[in-house]
Amino acid sequence: METSPPQFTAPPATGVRLDWHAVPAAVRARVEHDILGSPVVGARTQAGGFSPGVAARLTLADGTRAFVKAVSADANPHSPELHRREARNTAALPPGVPAPHLLGSYDDGTWVVLVLEDVEGVQPRIPWRRDELDRVLAALAGLSAALTPAPYDAPRTEEADAQTFRGWRQRLESGEWDGLDPWAAANLPRLIELSSRWAEFAHGDTLCHADLRADNILLTPDGGAVFVDWPHAVRAVAWFELLVMLPSVAAQGGGDPEEIFAAHPSAAGADPDGVTCVLAALAGYFVHHSLLPAPPGLPTLRPFQGVQGAVAVAWLRRRLGE
């Protein structure tokens, strides 16, 4: 008799948010003058997402709106570079892609500010509702089709993620096995071997967001979905996008990742062994990183990665017939 897949519950995706007025006055003045073209008269901080800085909907004196993201190296030393990459990637997306338009950016070496189109929409409800998940999956199929071939020379995943997807080997090299799932600990050499070929299967020419979760998606009033936060965009095989997303979906009540993957258009024709190899590498990434110290300003990142890792390991064991 077939058993139901295990159930997981992820913590909320939250960073330490700052109010817009926590940004230095001189920085805010430059953004208002050079990018917005009008003073800010209202700012509503938005919940959700791991960015440890400002994420706010702005209302301007001239009646227009914008969305602003801002971070300083003081909050997290790695976040400014992620904002810079997001600015480059978002600016390079072609018209018609369901992503917010970049209105401008500011960078003084310490503070990095992105000003984006304020998209009318809400994040999917958690736990996932099937109708909302279906909307997102349909939009994801359209996104992959629109971004194949990749519209600009984004990094290839096998280059950008060469170190990222060495999680099982990094865990072995660290000598620290505390916190590993017993099955993973017992099969660590096998997992290292299985995931070693991930790059050859992930290679492709679809531009992938590569970090989709409920907090990076807005459901729009017209029945569609918009995908936000693009710092991790890479070129990869089309099904890579779906595979990377599904551990978070399952961790937040969205259902069986194997069934969702198999039914999605982007997975049609995917090499089964290749999918398993990439999934093994993804599982290693989540598990290894979940056991590292928490980054500054990101209190729930490691627990969130831990639940995604548990989902990915359970999914992997299912694909391996265990």
Side-chain angles (χ1 to χ4, degrees):
M1 182 176 67
E2 184 172 340
T3 59
S4 299
Q7 301 299 307
F8 302 93
T9 302
T14 55
V16 177
R17 287 281 189 251
L18 295 177
D19 183 80
W20 166 242
H21 293 94
V23 177
V27 174
R28 287 186 279 117
R30 284 286 303 275
V31 171
E32 289 179 343
H33 181 271
D34 296 347
I35 303 173
L36 296 170
S38 181
V40 174
V41 295
R44 289 188 293 119
T45 296
Q46 302 300 293
F50 286 115
S51 174
V54 176
R57 295 179 186 265
L58 303 181
T59 303
L60 310 183
D62 63 5
T64 60
R65 301 185 314 178
F67 185 82
V68 66
K69 298 177 65 173
V71 72
S72 77
D74 296 333
N76 182 297
H78 304 294
S79 292
E81 180 55 31
L82 289 178
H83 275 40
R84 294 182 185 109
R85 283 161 46 186
E86 181 177 352
R88 293 193 297 269
N89 290 334
T90 305
L93 292 173
V97 170
H101 176 63
L102 181 70
L103 303 178
S105 62
Y106 166 90
D107 187 348
D108 62 14
T110 299
W111 279 93
V112 180
V113 183
L114 275 63
V115 181
L116 300 137
E117 169 193 8
D118 185 24
V119 176
E120 188 69 37
V122 296
Q123 292 178 0
R125 283 166 283 193
I126 301 299
W128 279 91
R129 287 177 38 153
R130 187 67 215 192
D131 60 330
E132 294 183 348
L133 179 58
D134 286 343
R135 283 174 61 180
V136 170
L137 293 172
L140 183 61
L143 180 73
S144 294
L147 295 179
T148 305
Y152 67 95
D153 192 26
R156 293 196 177 277
T157 186
E158 59 266 31
E159 300 163 358
D161 297 321
Q163 293 301 313
T164 301
F165 283 171
R166 293 182 68 252
W168 296 121
R169 183 170 294 281
Q170 289 169 316
R171 188 52 34 185
L172 178 65
E173 292 170 350
S174 74
E176 298 177 4
W177 292 17
D178 290 346
L180 278 184
D181 170 273
W183 178 86
N187 287 274
L188 199 52
R190 179 186 179 196
L191 290 168
I192 292 170
E193 180 180 2
L194 185 63
S195 59
S196 65
R197 298 177 60 201
W198 76 270
E200 66 181 273
F201 296 110
H203 175 86
D205 198 30
T206 297
L207 182 68
C208 298
H209 179 288
D211 193 33
L212 288 181
R213 306 179 304 269
D215 57 281
N216 283 339
I217 301 167
L218 293 174
L219 302 176
T220 53
D222 62 1
V226 170
F227 302 101
V228 305
D229 297 345
W230 287 77
H232 302 288
V234 292
R235 284 181 289 165
V237 67
W239 52 259
F240 180 81
E241 185 84 279
L242 180 66
L243 184 87
V244 171
M245 173 185 171
L246 285 179
S248 74
V249 171
Q252 295 183 311
D256 183 351
E258 178 67 20
E259 292 182 2
I260 297 171
F261 185 85
H264 198 267
S266 67
D271 182 312
D273 291 336
V275 172
T276 301
C277 288
V278 177
L279 178 58
L282 179 66
Y285 160 73
F286 283 133
V287 170
H288 173 66
H289 281 79
S290 73
L291 299 174
L292 298 177
L298 300 173
T300 68
L301 176 61
R302 297 309 187 207
F304 196 95
Q305 290 173 328
V307 178
Q308 289 176 287
V311 170
V313 167
W315 184 10
L316 177 62
R317 292 185 66 177
R318 180 178 177 183
R319 289 188 65 88
L320 293 172
E322 300 186 11

